[in-house]
Amino acid sequence: MDRTIDVCRTLRATVISLIRLGVHPAILNPIVCSKFVKQVCYPKALYGCELWGKLTSTEWLMLERTQHYICKNIQGLPRRTRSDMCLPMIGWFSIESYVDEKKLLFLGRICNLPCESVSFRILIRRVNDFKYNDGSHSNLGFTVDIINILRKYELSTYFNDFCETGLFPTPLIWKRIVKTTVAAFEIVNWKRRINIDDDFVAFKMIKKEYAPHPAWTIALKHPNLRKQAQYLTSVCCLVKDYDNGQNILCDRCGKMFLDPLVHAIASCDYLDETRDNFWCEIININPITFSIFLANMSDEELFYYLLSCNSDNFPLETDQLETFQAICVRYIHKFGTLLQD
């Protein structure tokens, strides 16, 4: 437990130091911030995690909370943002998967060592002890842990073949296998969690892929859109209260609405000029059928489609897609700020 507390403190302290140096969403794109954190803070705080034994659920919870705190900070999201919303926004997986991945890669390095090396011999000896003791040996540390991890990600076949034939994938191939398998495992669990939680009804329509949100990626190419992208992602992470279906009176146009941004984009008379400019830019994206495709959507469908910044169900070329994403980022921010002014 003490080690885990020290890891959490080190991770927080290192990230805060980076933020004070300028690695902050007010200055840098969160995708860039996340690379700094992953390449500087994680290796320092989690040094030697390959040799950690089995952690308790409390220790994992402490580590996950630390990562959630960091993830929200580098994106400028509120503290109470749902973790399953903020993590996929920059393509992060759980910290447990990070540690598991490091352990699996460490196993791959050991298995590719020469047979005469000490580490290789220790591994084989421990594996044999584990097998012949029917898993009852409690002092095997890394060996028991790695076997459980292999079973967890259904990678035991590779290690069983290694024990029988002495053949193991090369480090490069093993790294690709591990990353693909761990990512697939995390995505399946993430989808399962959001499918059983009513807070994610709207979010599921917006975020369909576990990858950095297009708003952040387009802001990398157009740094002047960073502030607008931050606004869009914060809107994506809002939890809607569908039980409270009370209409609100717009003090600008006198119409009733449920969602202020949906109202601003679709029906507020006060924003007619901005809405006309928005549709003019959409029409300029060839082919013209794309604007017809958007116009045929309901108000809420259009809103979620714009928040996703993706042209699902309508293939666009790369430059056209980037133009559409930039329009989404600019106008979601513009509609929101104009309605608040």
Side-chain angles (χ1 to χ4, degrees):
M1 181 66 76
D2 291 339
R3 179 190 60 196
T4 307
I5 293 173
D6 289 339
V7 168
C8 294
R9 287 175 178 170
T10 304
L11 191 54
R12 279 178 180 253
T14 314
V15 171
I16 290 171
S17 299
L18 273 180
I19 289 174
R20 288 174 179 171
L21 291 172
V23 183
H24 189 272
I27 301 172
L28 290 177
N29 189 296
I31 295 178
V32 179
C33 294
S34 70
K35 288 183 179 179
F36 274 109
V37 171
K38 288 286 188 178
Q39 294 176 8
V40 176
C41 305
Y42 275 58
K44 179 181 179 180
L46 299 172
Y47 179 77
C49 65
E50 295 89 344
L51 299 178
W52 288 359
K54 185 177 180 180
L55 301 184
T56 64
S57 57
T58 304
E59 290 177 300
W60 281 125
L61 183 60
M62 292 167 59
L63 291 169
E64 295 295 351
R65 283 178 175 172
T66 303
Q67 175 168 265
H68 298 161
Y69 166 82
I70 294 167
C71 184
K72 293 167 190 175
N73 262 277
I74 64 175
Q75 293 184 86
L77 295 173
R79 285 181 57 189
R80 294 190 177 275
T81 305
R82 293 295 300 267
S83 300
D84 279 329
M85 290 181 179
C86 69
L87 289 176
M89 281 295 182
I90 52 173
W92 280 16
F93 296 120
S94 67
I95 201 166
E96 183 177 359
S97 69
Y98 177 88
V99 174
D100 289 347
E101 184 180 312
K102 292 297 181 184
K103 290 182 178 181
L104 289 168
L105 295 178
F106 182 61
L107 172 69
R109 291 197 295 272
I110 294 177
C111 292
N112 280 285
L113 288 173
C115 299
E116 302 81 18
S117 65
V118 176
S119 300
F120 184 90
R121 291 185 174 186
I122 291 174
L123 176 66
I124 298 301
R125 174 65 182 273
R126 292 292 180 88
V127 169
N128 289 331
D129 286 348
F130 178 79
K131 287 183 177 180
Y132 293 126
N133 283 284
D134 298 324
S136 60
H137 208 302
S138 60
N139 297 320
L140 294 174
F142 173 77
T143 308
V144 177
D145 196 30
I146 198 64
I147 288 174
N148 290 332
I149 292 173
L150 288 167
R151 290 172 180 169
K152 174 182 175 181
Y153 295 104
E154 298 181 355
L155 293 172
S156 301
T157 307
Y158 295 98
F159 192 66
N160 293 337
D161 292 344
F162 167 73
C163 293
E164 293 176 3
T165 64
L167 299 176
F168 198 80
T170 61
L172 188 61
I173 295 175
W174 179 242
K175 183 177 182 180
R176 191 181 304 122
I177 293 170
V178 168
K179 285 187 174 294
T180 304
T181 307
V182 171
F185 181 86
E186 286 290 306
I187 291 170
V188 168
N189 282 341
W190 172 71
K191 287 183 177 179
R192 176 182 53 79
R193 290 194 301 270
I194 67 173
N195 284 331
I196 60 175
D197 195 329
D198 292 337
D199 286 351
F200 292 86
V201 172
F203 188 76
K204 286 187 292 185
M205 303 179 193
I206 300 167
K207 198 82 174 85
K208 298 178 181 178
E209 295 182 358
Y210 207 106
H213 194 280
W216 291 134
T217 55
I218 199 67
L220 276 177
K221 298 181 180 179
H222 305 279
N224 59 312
L225 295 177
R226 180 183 44 76
K227 181 181 177 181
Q228 292 90 326
Q230 199 276 330
Y231 178 84
L232 186 145
T233 52
S234 64
V235 172
C236 291
C237 294
L238 291 175
V239 176
K240 286 196 170 187
D241 185 7
Y242 286 91
D243 295 330
N244 183 17
Q246 294 182 352
N247 286 315
I248 305 170
L249 177 66
C250 178
D251 59 354
R252 301 301 175 90
C253 67
K255 293 181 180 179
M256 305 295 289
F257 64 87
L258 288 172
D259 189 301
L261 267 174
V262 174
H263 171 65
I265 292 170
S267 59
C268 185
D269 296 335
Y270 175 73
L271 300 174
D272 275 346
E273 184 179 351
T274 305
R275 192 178 304 109
D276 290 342
N277 293 335
F278 165 74
W279 281 109
C280 284
E281 293 197 33
I282 291 293
I283 290 170
N284 288 333
I285 300 176
N286 290 321
I288 190 66
T289 49
F290 180 60
S291 58
I292 299 172
F293 169 73
L294 294 181
N296 287 331
M297 292 182 176
S298 66
D299 294 347
E300 280 205 352
E301 286 175 344
L302 177 63
F303 175 57
Y304 294 139
Y305 199 84
L306 297 179
L307 284 180
S308 70
C309 295
N310 266 326
S311 59
D312 297 336
N313 306 323
F314 198 102
L316 292 175
E317 294 182 4
T318 304
D319 56 338
Q320 295 170 341
L321 179 59
E322 289 181 3
T323 303
F324 173 64
Q325 290 171 345
I327 291 172
C328 292
V329 171
R330 283 192 291 109
Y331 276 94
I332 288 290
H333 176 261
K334 186 176 290 187
F335 279 121
T337 51
L338 286 176
L339 196 64
Q340 292 172 0
D341 291 341

